[in-house]
């Protein structure tokens, strides 16, 4: 307030000195300006113009006569007064702003987040083999997403994939590609998701059970997660549903330096009607990818898959399996080896599934077979909403995109009270396999 008052007085004094000796300001305006400048009434004004000696025609003695300057028109006086008032008020406002700049607390600009720095790095340098693993994994899954969507679109040209690109306030985002009501696929979704966030203390303690590299003495940790997830629900009951997910997770310090990381993922086949040749082909493609890196991987991860996709309240598996793994970190193999393993597994998907869907998509079927397919999809929904850790993690992540998370659910499903399959039927055979996993290769 003191600085504002001082600025007002300085502006008023300067303006008063300027207009006092000009004929364009009325005495009332002078009074106001002088009062704002000094708080006192104004003194008497001195003559406007200089004294000019006059010589009478009859006398040689000079006579001093004061000749006032002509007064400006009233309209010009009003314009001048308005200009001076604007100047005076402007000086006061500028003074107040300057005073606030020097007396207000200094507002520091926040440092760019890890997500911001990664975005700048990708824009300026691109993604290379020397880039952080999180950027390489992001680039890889986006490339595979485009490849898979293109192959599926060619298989089902009747409907186009809808592509939604979305972002998260905390950093990251994703691309959701979904086809609904097609000729081949009732619903097909291929999503990529990139998440930057902060882990609270309880989550850190839980993760340390499997990852000792995580610092136990911090209250929060920055994290990054990237993954590609896919679920295809065909129209034809003879064609199996398929699921795929491969992901990468890491924790970081404030500078973006990775201090713990791991890979996870897998794929599994869920038929409504079992064709042994389909299950064998699917598992063989996966096994070949695993054997390139470690011959123990396929039997180990196949057993893990059978256990993970088990529905306890139904006492049956969701499908005929595949592979599943999680928390593969430096204690398993080095980062480059595991990244190569994930790339080969993801690369085996199209060769493993396209021949199956091509054989089954146009087979004839009856209404009762469609009803059975809907019942099996009901089991699929039960597992995903009750037991799937990925769905639970996604729905509990702040600013989660629910539509993308629940993309895995079928467009239609069915529940019937006390339904039982007929003895000796194809429906009974698939139930027998689901209760007792089979070694397909």
């Amino acid at each position: 307030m003191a600085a504002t008052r001082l600025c007002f007085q300085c502006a008023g004094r300067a303006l008063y000195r300027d207009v006092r000796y000009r004929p364009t300001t009325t005495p009332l305006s002078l009074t106001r300006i002088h009062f704002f400048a000094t708080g006192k009434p104004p003194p008497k004004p001195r003559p406007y113009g200089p004294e000019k000696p006059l010589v009478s025609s009859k006398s040689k003695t000079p006579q001093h006569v004061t000749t006032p300057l002509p007064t400006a028109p009233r309209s010009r006086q009003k314009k001048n007064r308005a200009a001076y008032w604007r100047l005076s008020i402007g000086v006061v406002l500028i003074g107040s702003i300057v005073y606030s700049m020097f007396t207000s607390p200094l507002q520091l600009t926040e440092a760019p987040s890890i997500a911001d720095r990664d975005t700048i790095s990708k824009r300026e340098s691109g993604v290379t083999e020397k880039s952080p693993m999180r950027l390489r994994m992001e680039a890889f899954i986006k490339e595979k997403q485009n490849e898979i969507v293109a192959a599926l679109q060619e298989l089902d040209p009747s409907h186009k994939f809808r592509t939604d690109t979305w972002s998260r306030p905390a950093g990251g985002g994703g691309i959701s590609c979904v086809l609904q009501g097609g000729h081949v696929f009732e619903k097909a979704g291929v999503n990529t998701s990139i998440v930057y966030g902060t882990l609270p203390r309880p989550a850190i303690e839980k993760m340390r059970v499997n990852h000792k590299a995580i610092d136990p003495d911090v209250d929060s940790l920055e994290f990054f997660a990237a993954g590609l997830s896919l679920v295809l629900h065909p129209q034809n009951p003879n064609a199996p549903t398929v699921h795929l997910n491969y992901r990468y997770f890491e924790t970081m310090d404030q500078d973006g330096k990775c201090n713990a990381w791991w890979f996870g993922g897998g794929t599994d086949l869920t038929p409504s009607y079992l064709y042994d040749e389909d299950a064998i082909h699917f598992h063989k493609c996966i096994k070949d990818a695993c054997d390139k890196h470690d011959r123990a991987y396929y039997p180990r991860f196949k057993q893990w898959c059978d256990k993970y996709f088990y529905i306890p309240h139904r006492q049956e598996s969701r499908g005929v399996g595949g592979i599943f793994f999680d928390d593969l970190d430096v204690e398993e193999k080095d980062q480059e080896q595991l990244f190569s393993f994930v790339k080969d597994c993801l690369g085996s998907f199209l060769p493993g599934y396209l021949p199956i869907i091509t054989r089954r998509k146009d087979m004839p079927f009856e209404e009762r077979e469609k009803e059975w397919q809907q019942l099996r999809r009901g089991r699929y929904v039960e597992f995903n909403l009750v037991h799937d850790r990925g769905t639970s993690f996604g729905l509990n992540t702040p600013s989660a995109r629910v539509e993308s998370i629940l993309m895995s659910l079928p467009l239609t499903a069915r529940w019937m009270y006390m339904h039982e399959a007929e003895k000796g039927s194809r429906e009974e055979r698939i139930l027998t396999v689901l209760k007792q996993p089979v070694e397909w290769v």
Side-chain angles (χ1 to χ4, degrees):
M1 288 299 295
T4 303
R5 190 181 300 112
L6 178 61
C7 291
F8 202 106
Q9 290 178 356
C10 291
R13 288 170 184 164
L15 184 59
Y16 176 75
R17 286 195 299 270
D18 186 26
V19 303
R20 179 175 176 182
Y21 305 108
R22 293 178 62 101
T24 57
T25 307
T26 63
L28 179 58
S29 297
L30 288 171
T31 302
R32 290 175 178 169
I33 296 171
H34 186 276
F35 178 76
F36 286 137
T38 65
K40 301 177 182 179
K44 289 184 177 182
R46 64 188 182 186
Y48 292 126
E51 294 182 351
K52 182 179 180 182
L54 297 176
V55 179
S56 173
S57 59
K58 296 181 179 181
S59 173
K60 301 299 182 180
T61 305
Q63 298 179 4
H64 294 275
V65 179
T66 301
T67 303
L69 296 174
T71 303
R74 186 176 299 276
S75 61
R76 185 179 301 171
Q77 292 180 17
K78 291 182 179 179
K79 291 181 180 179
N80 289 339
R81 286 199 299 271
Y84 291 133
W85 278 111
R86 287 195 295 268
L87 175 63
S88 178
I89 294 173
V91 171
V92 173
L93 292 176
I94 293 173
S96 300
I97 294 171
V98 172
Y99 174 77
S100 299
M101 289 173 61
F102 283 97
T103 58
S104 299
L106 183 62
Q107 300 294 327
L108 298 177
T109 304
E110 292 185 1
S113 66
I114 297 173
D116 293 335
R117 295 199 293 270
D118 282 352
T119 299
I120 294 171
S121 174
K122 288 183 289 185
R123 183 171 59 245
E124 294 181 349
S125 307
V127 180
T128 68
E129 292 297 319
K130 296 182 179 180
S131 298
M133 181 56 69
R134 59 180 179 269
L135 301 187
R136 295 169 62 192
M137 182 66 175
E138 177 183 351
F140 170 67
I141 61 176
K142 288 181 177 179
E143 175 188 345
K144 298 306 291 185
Q145 180 185 38
N146 291 335
E147 179 184 327
I148 292 171
V149 168
L152 298 178
Q153 188 68 83
E154 184 178 353
L155 190 68
D156 192 354
S158 63
H159 283 64
K160 297 296 183 182
F161 273 89
R162 170 178 172 172
T163 300
D164 294 328
T165 301
W166 47 277
S167 60
R168 300 181 70 255
I175 304 173
S176 298
C177 301
V178 179
L179 182 153
Q180 294 185 137
H183 174 72
V184 177
F185 297 107
E186 183 180 277
K187 186 178 181 183
V190 187
N191 291 353
T192 55
S193 178
I194 311 298
V195 178
Y196 290 84
T198 304
L199 291 173
R201 179 77 181 181
I204 295 172
E205 293 175 350
K206 185 176 181 180
M207 287 183 176
R208 281 205 80 249
V209 174
N210 296 314
H211 306 284
K212 303 302 181 184
I214 296 178
D215 188 349
D217 299 324
V218 295
D219 292 327
S220 64
L221 267 179
E222 299 297 312
F223 78 89
F224 168 88
L228 183 150
S229 59
L230 169 155
V231 178
L232 308 178
H233 295 290
Q235 291 278 13
N236 197 307
N238 294 289
T241 289
V242 68
H243 160 259
L244 172 149
N245 177 276
Y246 291 101
R247 55 195 176 273
Y248 171 76
F249 193 99
E250 74 174 39
T251 61
M252 306 161 286
D253 58 24
Q254 294 296 329
D255 296 328
K257 183 179 179 181
C258 176
N259 51 41
W261 56 267
W262 58 92
F263 289 92
T267 181
D268 63 289
L269 198 67
T270 306
S272 298
Y273 289 98
L274 181 62
Y275 293 89
D276 288 17
E277 62 269 32
D278 293 350
I280 292 170
H281 174 77
F282 185 78
H283 278 264
K284 185 178 185 304
C285 288
I286 301 170
K287 184 178 184 300
D288 290 344
C290 291
D291 288 348
K292 292 181 182 179
H293 301 270
D294 193 323
R295 289 189 172 275
Y297 273 178
Y298 172 75
R300 174 184 165 193
F301 297 154
K302 194 266 183 188
Q303 184 181 20
W304 200 341
C305 180
D306 292 337
K307 290 182 178 179
Y308 181 81
F309 291 105
Y310 184 75
I311 309 173
H313 62 273
R314 296 292 188 180
Q315 297 183 349
E316 62 187 41
S317 296
R318 189 177 74 174
V320 296
I323 61 169
F324 177 86
F325 57 89
D326 202 5
D327 301 318
L328 298 189
D329 58 14
V330 67
E331 295 183 1
E332 180 73 33
K333 280 182 171 60
D334 68 42
Q335 195 175 56
E336 291 297 331
Q337 288 177 309
L338 290 175
F339 184 39
S340 178
F341 167 63
V342 167
K343 289 195 291 184
D344 284 339
C345 287
L346 187 48
S348 71
F349 169 72
L350 288 177
Y353 184 71
L354 285 184
I356 297 173
I357 187 66
T358 302
R359 284 196 297 265
R360 309 301 174 195
K361 65 184 179 67
D362 296 319
M363 290 181 65
F365 61 89
E366 299 177 359
E367 184 60 29
R368 65 176 185 84
E369 293 171 323
K370 189 67 176 178
E371 290 181 359
W372 175 251
Q373 179 195 52
Q374 300 302 297
L375 288 172
R376 296 312 309 167
R377 286 185 177 168
R379 300 291 202 270
Y380 201 96
V381 172
E382 290 174 21
F383 175 84
N384 280 29
L385 294 183
V386 178
H387 300 291
D388 185 50
R389 294 188 314 193
T391 303
S392 177
F393 175 82
L395 293 176
N396 286 287
T397 300
S399 303
R401 192 171 193 270
V402 176
E403 291 296 327
S404 296
I405 297 168
L406 298 183
M407 173 274 299
S408 63
L409 300 182
L411 195 60
T412 59
R414 183 184 181 96
W415 285 266
M416 292 179 63
Y417 180 70
M418 297 297 290
H419 181 272
E420 293 185 5
E422 294 182 7
K423 296 291 186 180
S425 64
R426 296 174 65 201
E427 292 82 3
E428 185 186 46
R429 180 164 187 264
I430 184 67
L431 288 178
T432 302
V433 171
L434 296 179
K435 291 182 180 297
Q436 183 60 50
V438 174
E439 298 299 327
W440 297 103
V441 291

